[in-house]
Amino acid sequence: MSVFYSSVRFLLCWSLFSATETICFCPDSFILLSEWFDLLLPLPLCLSAGTLVVNVAQTFYQAEENHHITLEWTFTPKTLSSSNIYIFCQLITDQKVSVLFQLHEGVEVSESQDEQFSGRVQFDKDVLREGRLRLDVSRLRTEDSGLYLCEVNTESGSSSDKCRLNVTVRKDQDNRTNTTIIEPEKPGAEKMNVGAIVGGVLTVVALILVLIILRVLVKPRNLWMKKKQEAEKTPNISEMEKLETTSTEGDEELQKTLQETSCNMCSW
């Protein structure tokens, strides 16, 4: 590097001096011109070799709630060792400033991360030596919208760049919360409801009538069977006649009940 620098200095000085040789020639002037180049020449060489430049891959991001997105920055020149990298990324909104990501000497500092991003930011360490910073933010929220500023510090200097993220509410959720779905009533639905009520009432009445009929049939028959058993123990003509009369009366009462039931069903 020193040989190259000396050669460039000599050629530049000699060329300039040769251009002015017809005007004047003085060894002291050549030495003075050489000293000026000693001061001016290293300046552009340092600026071109050591200035760090950070650029964001995309200036604006658009995403929906609960989705994920990858924010990416690039920086040049590339660093030789990740232990010499210091990165600080933050979210800036009108309400507050939140720490998104911090890297200190190549090690992620999760303690400084804001609770808002806890467990939702993944850092791709493999591409860091390539001069790329990739941060994957998952399960996006509407409060993640804002300006993201990332600053990188290396042995080459310090630089930063920013991008903006806008997170919107999911369309299906927005329609579900803000729209009330009213289904039109089907024609004849009211008549169907009335018919169902009437059918239920008739069913209950029929069950009640069946219970009454069973009670009327069972009670006289049990009474007749009881008297018949007693008559068999002490046979008597008068007792047998009474049993037949009781049985006949029970049948007549049953027929009468059935007729009343039929009349009631006709009225319904």
Side-chain angles (χ1 to χ4, degrees):
M1 181 67 183
S2 59
V3 175
F4 173 76
Y5 171 72
S6 300
S7 302
V8 171
R9 184 188 63 175
F10 177 79
L11 290 174
L12 289 175
C13 293
W14 180 257
S15 300
L16 185 59
F17 185 81
S18 298
T20 58
E21 185 179 5
T22 55
I23 301 174
C24 64
F25 176 79
C26 178
D28 293 337
S29 300
F30 185 83
I31 296 173
L32 181 61
L33 188 60
S34 177
E35 291 178 352
W36 288 348
F37 274 104
D38 286 341
L39 296 176
L40 297 177
L41 188 60
L43 181 60
L45 293 177
C46 293
L47 291 176
S48 61
T51 302
L52 179 69
V53 178
V54 175
N55 292 309
V56 67
Q58 189 173 330
T59 57
F60 182 78
Y61 293 87
Q62 178 76 33
E64 287 188 356
E65 192 178 19
N66 293 328
H67 287 193
H68 73 92
I69 199 167
T70 301
L71 306 177
E72 184 172 349
W73 287 264
T74 60
F75 56 91
T76 55
K78 302 175 184 178
T79 181
L80 299 177
S81 175
S82 59
S83 61
N84 297 327
I85 302 178
Y86 300 85
I87 300 175
F88 187 75
C89 301
Q90 53 188 344
L91 167 63
I92 303 173
T93 63
D94 296 336
Q95 291 77 23
K96 63 176 182 177
V97 176
S98 306
V99 177
L100 172 68
F101 176 78
Q102 185 177 2
L103 193 73
H104 182 77
E105 294 182 350
V107 180
E108 182 178 357
V109 184
S110 58
E111 294 80 7
S112 63
Q113 189 178 62
D114 195 273
E115 186 178 357
Q116 175 182 345
F117 299 105
S118 178
R120 298 195 296 125
V121 179
Q122 296 295 327
F123 163 54
D124 191 351
K125 192 174 182 179
D126 296 334
V127 299
L128 193 60
R129 291 186 179 182
E130 302 174 4
R132 298 164 58 194
L133 171 64
R134 298 182 62 184
L135 300 176
D136 187 81
V137 185
S138 60
R139 303 188 304 276
L140 289 173
R141 308 170 184 172
T142 53
E143 56 265 28
D144 294 338
S145 300
L147 185 68
Y148 286 81
L149 177 65
C150 189
E151 181 179 357
V152 180
N153 292 273
T154 66
E155 65 274 8
S156 300
S158 175
S159 182
S160 64
D161 202 357
K162 58 186 180 296
C163 64
R164 184 169 293 276
L165 170 65
N166 184 33
V167 181
T168 58
V169 180
R170 293 182 61 179
K171 294 181 180 179
D172 54 350
Q173 182 176 353
D174 190 19
N175 294 334
R176 194 183 305 116
T177 54
N178 297 332
T179 304
T180 302
I181 300 176
I182 302 176
E183 296 182 356
E185 294 184 359
K186 297 180 180 180
E190 185 176 354
K191 294 181 180 180
M192 292 176 62
N193 294 333
V194 174
I197 295 174
V198 173
V201 173
L202 291 177
T203 303
V204 173
V205 173
L207 290 174
I208 294 174
L209 292 176
V210 170
L211 293 175
I212 293 174
I213 293 171
L214 291 176
R215 184 176 180 81
V216 171
L217 289 175
V218 172
K219 186 175 181 180
R221 182 63 60 181
N222 292 338
L223 182 60
W224 180 79
M225 290 295 294
K226 185 177 180 180
K227 290 183 179 181
K228 184 177 179 181
Q229 291 175 359
E230 291 178 355
E232 289 177 353
K233 292 180 182 180
T234 56
N236 195 336
I237 298 174
S238 58
E239 292 290 339
M240 295 296 292
E241 292 177 352
K242 290 180 180 180
L243 288 174
E244 291 177 359
T245 303
T246 304
S247 177
T248 304
E249 292 177 352
D251 294 338
E252 292 177 353
E253 186 177 356
L254 177 60
Q255 292 178 359
K256 185 178 179 180
T257 303
L258 291 174
Q259 290 177 357
E260 292 178 355
T261 304
S262 300
C263 292
N264 292 331
M265 292 292 292
C266 292
S267 62
W268 280 95

